[in-house]
Amino acid sequence: MEDPLSRMPRMRLDELLEELQARINAARGTRDRVHSLLEAVVSVGRELDLSQVLRRIVEAAALLVDAQYAALGVIGPDGRTLSQFLTVGLADEEIARIGPLPAGHGILGELIRKPEPLRLTDLSAHESSYGFPAHHPPMRTFLGVPIRVRDEVFGNLYLTDKRGGHDFDAEDESVIATLSVAAGVAIDNARLYEASQRQQRWLQANAEITSNLLSGSPRLRVLELIAQRAREITGAALADVAVPVSGTGDLVVELALGERGEHRRGLVVPVDGTLSGAAYEAGAPVTTAGLADDDRYDTGDGRFEGFGPAVAVPLGTEAHDTRGVLLLARPQGGPLFTEGELQPLLAFAGQAALALELAQRRTDAEQLALLEDRDRIARDLHDLAIQRLFATGMTLQSAARLVAHEGAAERVTRAVADLDETIKIIRSTIFGLRARDEDTGPSLRARVARAVGETAHTLGFPPRLSMEGLLDTDVPPGVADHVMAALTETLSNAARHAHATRVEVSLQATADEVVLTVTDNGRGIPEGGRRSGLRNLEERARKVGGTLEIGGPAGGGSRLVWRAPLAPGDAA
């Protein structure tokens, strides 16, 4: 039988071997964890795209502490809420069932208010906890660590439910704290890289716009280029440019690009209760975290559903010199517009204001050149063509007395009459070339253009207008007045009854008649729906010996064609 005293050394040796094995395993575990941490740091620092950096950080955090769920919340500009929230461990279907992403209340807000590591055995027992929304998976253990970029708290890492039912320990906290330091450096590098890339794109866009300005591109083309580049660089879903409506306190959307841009184009934007109006009045950029649900800018009848962060930048250097407003809107859930983005936007808006200014100056110069050319043509016609035609007519008239043949004399007399009629036509043309609104009253073209432009406020969008023929010289004043009355009545009917989103106006003077056509894509004129306005149009047409035709285009809507002869027998 073995002596118990002889077994004592063997038992002590077994205990020492077990302790040594445990220490070896612990050292190996520590080594493996340090290795995993180093791999995570290298992986996070390898990326330069900010969104990818954030995604790698939250994935590495979950892997390092074996957490079932992990999230990274980016603190917004207000310093109190979360502007972004990235998750790991939840499927897209689960996220959709839960609903809106957290804004930073409860336990998540605790780290925002107190940016220090927080470790909980049961997060529901914490005083800041007030439960989970419907369809949210249950969570018990919790570890939260802030992420600092230089001296600024960028956001927080949130980890819940360590696998195996264990609690997060001090070592887990230390590992995540170390990762957060590396994450701060990686985020800072990514932001600097992103800023440099964005600045490069702004410089390229500015050069492109300058080139278009100097090459004489049309004003609308330059504005479209400005809106398109601003939308691309800022990642906006919508970009539109609104300009003031002359004689009113409203703006009208001259062009719109992106989501629902076709519905925005032509809309009248009130200054009060709109983001663009606020920027126009202030002469400074105005931002919002959610355009669709911001109570300050509720005028719009649901036109911004689905849009989130937005900024409106005035096109001009001072409030009294604002020529329009550039509006950029991101989708709901998108990042807010930061101060770093506003500075290049302001410079870009200056380019847009310059485009408008140069376009206006170019238009004025072209108009002046046109008027001078008209004066020269009128002067040449009067001094050269008319005098020679008159002299030729006098010569033929004298020669007619010497022609013995009756048929030949009649032809010469007819030629003299034709020359006289030609002189009258040229004199009428000279009058039209030299006519000025301020001298002879507005021409028919000017009156029609002004009436159509003023209707944009009532319709909510500008109608399309085309004019052909010698409207200012061939249409008698009485007929022109009836044309204006018919146009006003037709546009008024379209605004009140058609509920259209597009109206086209065409005015044409032929050799025999003037034709006014107004087409819209509204709900049309119902059978038996003859209104007093249509009777008035018919009556006016009859007064000048004309007609009114009512029909509808193939795609729906209505088309009214009002005709009047150019020489009516009983024009009022």
Side-chain angles (χ1 to χ4, degrees):
M1 186 174 180
E2 187 177 5
D3 185 3
L5 292 176
S6 65
R7 290 202 307 267
M8 290 291 291
R10 192 182 308 158
M11 292 175 61
R12 181 62 178 165
L13 181 59
D14 290 341
E15 290 175 1
L16 290 173
L17 288 174
E18 289 176 2
E19 183 179 351
L20 178 60
Q21 186 63 46
R23 288 176 180 270
I24 291 173
N25 291 337
R28 185 181 294 119
T30 301
R31 183 199 62 189
D32 293 343
R33 196 161 201 183
V34 169
H35 182 69
S36 299
L37 178 59
L38 289 175
E39 283 187 339
V41 169
V42 172
S43 174
V44 167
R46 187 182 297 124
E47 291 289 342
L48 286 174
D49 180 79
L50 183 58
S51 61
Q52 291 297 321
V53 169
L54 298 180
R55 173 59 60 184
R56 283 189 178 274
I57 289 170
V58 69
E59 289 174 348
L63 185 64
L64 285 172
V65 297
D66 204 18
Q68 186 174 354
Y69 305 106
L72 191 156
V74 179
I75 300 175
D78 60 0
R80 299 188 302 272
T81 57
L82 299 175
S83 61
Q84 282 183 271
F85 197 76
L86 291 81
T87 62
V88 167
L90 291 173
D92 292 340
E93 297 78 10
E94 292 178 289
I95 296 173
R97 284 197 301 270
I98 293 172
L101 295 174
H105 305 297
I107 291 293
L108 304 186
E110 184 71 16
L111 260 76
I112 298 176
R113 292 184 292 272
K114 300 176 183 177
E116 300 172 356
L118 177 64
R119 203 158 23 101
L120 301 172
T121 300
D122 185 359
L123 58 85
S124 62
H126 194 277
E127 58 183 11
S128 297
S129 176
Y130 56 81
F132 297 105
H135 308 294
H136 195 288
M139 296 179 180
R140 189 180 67 83
T141 56
F142 176 85
L143 173 61
V145 175
I147 298 175
R148 286 181 169 84
V149 176
R150 302 189 184 185
D151 295 329
E152 166 196 357
V153 178
F154 174 83
N156 298 303
L157 275 171
Y158 307 106
L159 302 117
T160 60
D161 288 6
K162 188 177 178 69
R163 298 183 189 277
H166 302 295
D167 292 341
F168 293 108
D169 55 25
E171 188 175 343
D172 293 327
E173 181 180 321
S174 176
V175 167
I176 297 301
T178 303
L179 177 66
S180 71
V181 174
V185 175
I187 291 171
D188 192 28
N189 289 337
R191 288 166 78 179
L192 290 173
Y193 177 77
E194 190 177 75
S196 67
Q197 291 293 102
R198 187 166 56 242
Q199 183 65 26
Q200 181 66 24
R201 295 183 69 186
W202 282 121
L203 290 174
Q204 291 175 351
N206 280 328
E208 185 180 6
I209 290 165
T210 302
S211 174
N212 275 266
L213 285 173
L214 295 178
S215 65
S217 295
R219 167 182 173 277
L220 194 59
R221 165 62 187 148
V222 176
L223 278 183
E224 183 177 357
L225 181 62
I226 289 170
Q228 181 66 32
R229 294 296 177 263
R231 175 172 169 259
E232 292 171 354
I233 295 173
T234 60
L238 170 70
D240 70 36
V241 176
V243 296
V245 179
S246 179
T248 72
D250 298 326
L251 307 171
V252 63
V253 178
E254 188 169 6
L255 67 89
L257 306 174
E259 288 185 24
R260 291 190 283 177
E262 65 279 4
H263 301 299
R264 292 274 304 161
R265 197 175 300 115
L267 287 177
V268 172
V269 179
V271 170
D272 295 331
T274 63
L275 189 70
S276 295
Y280 179 75
E281 278 198 323
V286 180
T287 60
T288 177
L291 189 57
D293 51 11
D294 195 323
D295 294 336
R296 298 173 297 170
Y297 313 115
D298 56 358
T299 302
D301 303 325
R303 295 170 183 167
F304 291 111
E305 287 298 325
F307 291 108
V311 60
V313 184
L315 306 180
T317 54
E318 299 177 7
H320 65 273
D321 193 36
T322 300
R323 296 178 172 271
V325 178
L326 171 65
L327 173 71
L328 299 166
R330 287 170 173 157
Q332 280 186 336
L336 302 180
F337 285 91
T338 64
E339 285 296 324
E341 291 178 295
L342 292 185
Q343 292 306 314
L345 260 180
L346 280 172
F348 212 58
Q351 288 279 50
L354 178 63
L356 292 172
E357 180 72 21
L358 288 180
Q360 184 62 46
R361 293 291 179 266
R362 189 181 297 124
T363 300
D364 291 344
E366 290 172 353
Q367 184 68 18
L368 181 60
L370 176 63
L371 294 176
E372 290 176 348
D373 205 35
R374 285 182 173 184
D375 282 342
R376 181 188 58 77
I377 295 172
R379 192 165 52 248
D380 290 346
L381 285 174
H382 182 273
D383 296 343
L384 301 176
I386 288 183
Q387 300 303 326
R388 298 195 65 168
L389 287 172
F390 185 75
T392 303
M394 292 290 290
T395 301
L396 288 174
Q397 197 171 22
S398 300
R401 300 191 190 99
L402 304 176
V403 178
H405 191 280
E406 184 178 348
E410 183 182 347
R411 288 187 179 183
V412 172
T413 302
R414 224 173 20 244
V416 171
D418 288 344
L419 284 174
D420 188 49
E421 186 64 30
T422 302
I423 290 172
K424 290 180 181 179
I425 293 174
I426 294 176
R427 287 186 185 278
S428 176
T429 302
I430 293 172
F431 176 79
L433 288 172
R434 286 179 167 171
R436 303 286 191 275
D437 285 1
E438 62 270 22
D439 297 334
T440 61
S443 64
L444 180 57
R445 284 178 177 272
R447 294 166 68 188
V448 170
R450 185 177 298 116
V452 171
E454 290 172 350
T455 311
H457 176 64
T458 308
L459 289 170
F461 55 89
R464 295 181 181 177
L465 173 63
S466 63
M467 293 185 280
E468 297 179 26
L470 299 175
L471 296 168
D472 295 336
T473 57
D474 286 6
V475 181
V479 176
D481 290 341
H482 282 288
V483 169
M484 288 305 304
L487 174 63
T488 303
E489 183 70 38
T490 306
L491 291 177
S492 176
N493 287 341
R496 288 181 294 167
H497 307 297
H499 298 281
T501 59
R502 188 181 72 253
V503 174
E504 297 180 4
V505 177
S506 170
L507 184 62
Q508 182 181 23
T510 66
D512 304 315
E513 63 179 358
V514 59
V515 183
L516 171 67
T517 306
V518 179
T519 308
D520 66 66
N521 66 343
R523 55 189 184 184
I525 300 173
E527 291 293 332
R530 311 280 288 180
R531 306 186 189 94
S532 59
L534 297 179
R535 287 195 297 271
N536 291 340
L537 291 173
E538 288 179 335
E539 182 63 28
R540 283 190 178 278
R542 278 197 299 269
K543 276 186 177 182
V544 293
T547 60
L548 174 68
E549 301 172 12
I550 302 173
S558 63
R559 177 186 290 117
L560 281 79
V561 182
W562 190 94
R563 301 173 182 272
L566 292 180
D570 56 349

